[in-house]
């Protein structure tokens, strides 16, 4: 296997690196490299910079306003952004719902929704999980009843990431109870400013407000916001999940965080410990292996093959590695890995840190990463899927 990039690909990488270096605000890169909390404005600022260049939808084909890059170019772009310290693109709009609108939406829906996603102006949220319907997504109960030219939506979504910022939400809703559960689900786009939509915060273990409950109480949604056909939403959801699995592996962030782990280990004086360095070496090898899996998925995507099965493996390995590097950072700093008060740090707190400044976010990141093996379909369920569909 030849893992070397071609001269043309290397030139492309250098062009991307130069552009990111020139356009990425230094304060955003500092926050990302040091795991400091990003505000809505931080994330939106970088999204709009990419949108102005036409790269927020960097995986989009040319006919929808994207650059039309191949799988390798997309990977190199994501890697250069991550290593430079760019905020991770919030995926719900450009990575998740946009491909569904492109593949299954009508021309009017494409013209209506895609420009706002491409520019970074409109913030999208994902309405999939419900209480009792997480990994078992086919059991969703949020109901959408057709009444003339509109749907009346009632129900609840949960774990809606960054839903407090959402302007639109794409939802799986139940439009029929006949037949198998999967056959009665539809894919609906809902304006979160609609009367009857309520967003309630959920505080996580790290003390942050990242996820939410979203309630729908007799929310009126125009029927024209239905994507594709009624009761065919499960097909569209599977299409979306194939994109989410690739994104959820987050291999490029893992490569950046691996370097941060090495910096922390050296600063804390544990890098010279052979056993600790062995753990870093094992993680290094696993990150490279994950990158090879990502390239396989992207290669399959380029050739038109169904990559969802392998993408399940990506989700498993990517989430485990995210937890592992956060654990090793905690171990490197030892008792100095203490929680910190977000509000004080955000306000520019000038007090003394307990330990070095790089220790401040470690516990928060560690606690937050407990979620990775659960969201997007728990790893236990993913292993069952892989066993059934890949191993046979």
């Amino acid at each position: 296997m030849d893992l070397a990039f071609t001269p043309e690909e290397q030139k492309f990488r250098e062009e991307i690196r130069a552009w990111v270096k020139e356009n990425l605000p230094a304060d955003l890169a500092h926050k990302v490299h040091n795991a400091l909390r990003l505000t809505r404005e931080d994330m939106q600022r970088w999204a709009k910079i990419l949108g102005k260049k036409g790269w927020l939808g960097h995986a989009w084909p040319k006919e929808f306003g994207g650059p039309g890059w191949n799988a390798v170019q997309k990977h190199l772009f994501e890697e250069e952004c991550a290593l430079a310290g760019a905020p991770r693109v919030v995926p719900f709009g450009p990575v998740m719902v946009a491909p569904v609108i492109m593949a299954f939406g009508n021309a009017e829906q494409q013209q209506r929704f895609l420009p706002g996603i491409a520019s970074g102006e409109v913030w999208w949220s994902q309405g999939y999980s419900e209480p009792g319907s997480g990994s078992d997504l086919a059991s969703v109960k949020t109901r959408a009843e057709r009444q003339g030219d509109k749907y009346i939506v009632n129900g609840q979504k949960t774990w809606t990431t960054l839903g407090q910022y959402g302007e639109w939400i794409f939802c799986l809703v139940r439009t029929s109870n006949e037949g198998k559960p999967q056959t009665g689900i539809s894919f609906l786009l809902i304006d979160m400013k609609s009367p009857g939509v309520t967003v309630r915060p959920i505080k996580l273990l790290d003390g942050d407000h990242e996820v939410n409950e979203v309630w729908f109480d007799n929310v009126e949604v125009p029927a024209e916001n239905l994507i594709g056909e009624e009761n065919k939403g499960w097909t569209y959801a599977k299409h979306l999940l194939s994109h989410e699995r690739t994104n959820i592996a987050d291999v490029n962030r893992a490569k950046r965080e691996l370097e941060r782990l090495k910096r922390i280990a050296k600063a804390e004086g544990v890098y010279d410990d052979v056993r600790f360095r062995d753990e870093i070496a094992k993680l290094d090898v696993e990150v490279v292996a994950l990158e090879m899996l990502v390239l396989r998925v992207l290669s399959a995507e380029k050739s038109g093959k169904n990559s969802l099965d392998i993408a399940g493996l990506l989700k498993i390995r990517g989430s485990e590695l995210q937890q592992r590097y956060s654990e090793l950072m905690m171990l490197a700093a030892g008792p100095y890995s203490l929680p910190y008060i977000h509000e004080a740090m955000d306000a520019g707190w000038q007090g003394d840190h307990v330990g070095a400044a790089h220790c401040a976010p470690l516990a928060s990141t560690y606690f937050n990463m407990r979620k990775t093996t659960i969201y997007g379909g728990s790893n236990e369920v993913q292993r069952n899927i892989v066993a059934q569909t890949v191993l046979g």
Side-chain angles (χ1 to χ4, degrees):
M1 181 184 293
D2 184 6
L3 300 180
F5 292 107
T6 66
E8 292 78 15
E9 290 165 348
Q10 290 288 10
K11 182 181 179 182
F12 176 83
R13 179 198 286 275
E14 291 166 6
E15 291 172 352
I16 294 297
R17 184 178 297 168
W19 184 88
V20 172
K21 182 178 180 181
E22 182 178 347
N23 290 275
L24 175 62
D27 62 316
L28 293 187
H30 172 76
K31 282 189 171 184
V32 171
H33 280 306
N34 293 280
L36 300 177
R37 186 167 62 168
L38 295 170
T39 65
R40 182 191 195 279
E41 290 69 29
D42 291 333
M43 292 180 276
Q44 199 83 340
R45 182 158 43 126
W46 178 237
K48 290 180 179 179
I49 291 172
L50 290 176
K52 187 176 181 180
K53 181 67 174 176
W55 287 353
L56 184 58
H58 70 276
W60 295 15
K62 286 185 177 180
E63 56 263 37
F64 290 108
W69 291 338
N70 62 36
V72 173
Q73 289 173 318
K74 289 184 285 187
H75 175 75
L76 292 175
F77 170 78
E78 291 169 358
E79 180 169 271
E80 288 303 317
C81 287
L83 296 180
R88 182 171 180 252
V89 170
V90 178
F92 309 116
V95 178
M96 295 184 185
V97 75
V100 174
I101 295 173
M102 292 176 198
F104 306 104
N106 57 43
E108 183 180 347
Q109 290 169 333
Q110 292 166 356
Q111 293 167 8
R112 178 185 177 190
F113 293 109
L114 292 180
I117 298 174
S119 67
E121 295 289 337
V122 181
W123 191 295
W124 282 80
S125 297
Q126 180 184 24
Y128 270 28
S129 294
E130 299 179 6
S133 299
S135 297
D136 180 21
L137 198 55
S139 65
V140 293
K141 294 181 175 60
T142 295
R143 181 79 182 173
E145 297 184 28
R146 182 72 180 259
Q147 294 185 6
D149 61 353
K150 63 188 176 184
Y151 286 95
I152 306 299
V153 180
N154 285 280
Q156 176 192 2
K157 298 293 180 179
T158 194
W159 312 123
T160 309
T161 303
L162 303 177
Q164 68 269 35
Y165 306 141
E167 296 165 289
W168 281 81
I169 186 170
F170 57 94
C171 287
L172 292 183
V173 294
R174 183 155 300 285
T175 45
S176 173
N177 288 313
E178 297 179 6
K180 293 182 178 179
Q182 292 89 337
T183 61
I185 293 173
S186 297
F187 198 101
L188 202 58
L189 310 181
I190 302 176
D191 186 343
M192 294 187 72
K193 298 184 295 294
S194 303
V197 177
T198 303
V199 179
R200 298 175 183 170
I202 298 174
K203 286 286 187 178
L204 296 182
L205 189 62
D206 64 354
D208 209 354
H209 172 199
E210 184 184 33
V211 295
N212 304 267
E213 296 175 322
V214 181
W215 294 80
F216 302 94
D217 182 12
N218 290 321
V219 177
E220 296 185 3
V221 181
E224 64 190 28
N225 289 6
L226 175 73
I227 294 295
E229 299 179 43
E230 192 172 279
N231 301 325
K232 294 291 182 66
W234 189 252
T235 298
Y236 314 149
K238 288 194 295 182
H239 180 80
L240 181 151
L241 287 172
S242 68
H243 291 266
E244 183 189 23
R245 293 283 182 268
T246 307
N247 187 261
I248 212 170
D250 226 349
V251 65
N252 296 313
R253 181 167 70 166
K255 293 173 71 173
R256 185 190 68 225
E257 294 301 291
L258 179 62
E259 295 306 310
R260 178 169 162 244
L261 167 61
K262 293 175 183 177
R263 293 197 305 270
I264 292 173
K266 291 173 182 177
E268 295 298 318
V270 298
Y271 193 74
D272 294 330
D273 183 285
V274 175
R275 291 186 181 276
F276 195 88
R277 202 160 65 244
D278 283 348
E279 293 301 316
I280 294 178
K282 285 193 291 185
L283 181 62
D284 210 336
V285 170
E286 290 171 347
V287 169
V288 171
L290 177 62
E291 184 176 22
M292 296 304 102
L293 269 177
V294 168
L295 291 174
R296 284 179 62 191
V297 170
L298 295 178
S299 176
E301 181 182 309
K302 182 181 177 182
S303 63
K305 297 177 182 177
N306 185 354
S307 61
L308 182 60
D309 297 340
I310 299 177
L313 291 173
L314 282 179
K315 193 276 171 177
I316 295 169
R317 295 303 297 136
S319 59
E320 290 175 344
L321 293 187
Q322 289 175 53
Q323 291 185 348
R324 186 58 181 152
Y325 64 65
S326 67
E327 291 168 356
L328 288 176
M329 289 180 193
M330 289 276 285
L331 289 172
Y336 294 120
S337 298
L338 295 175
Y340 71 101
I341 301 171
H342 283 296
E343 291 77 11
M345 297 291 287
D346 291 345
W349 178 48
Q350 299 298 313
D352 293 332
H353 293 280
V354 179
H358 60 246
C359 296
L362 297 184
S364 177
T365 302
Y366 171 84
F367 288 134
N368 189 277
M369 288 297 178
R370 298 304 91 197
K371 69 189 179 187
T372 63
T373 49
I374 301 173
Y375 68 30
S378 72
N379 283 12
E380 291 82 359
V381 171
Q382 290 301 317
R383 286 188 171 90
N384 285 341
I385 294 172
V386 170
Q388 292 168 5
T389 61
V390 179
L391 302 179

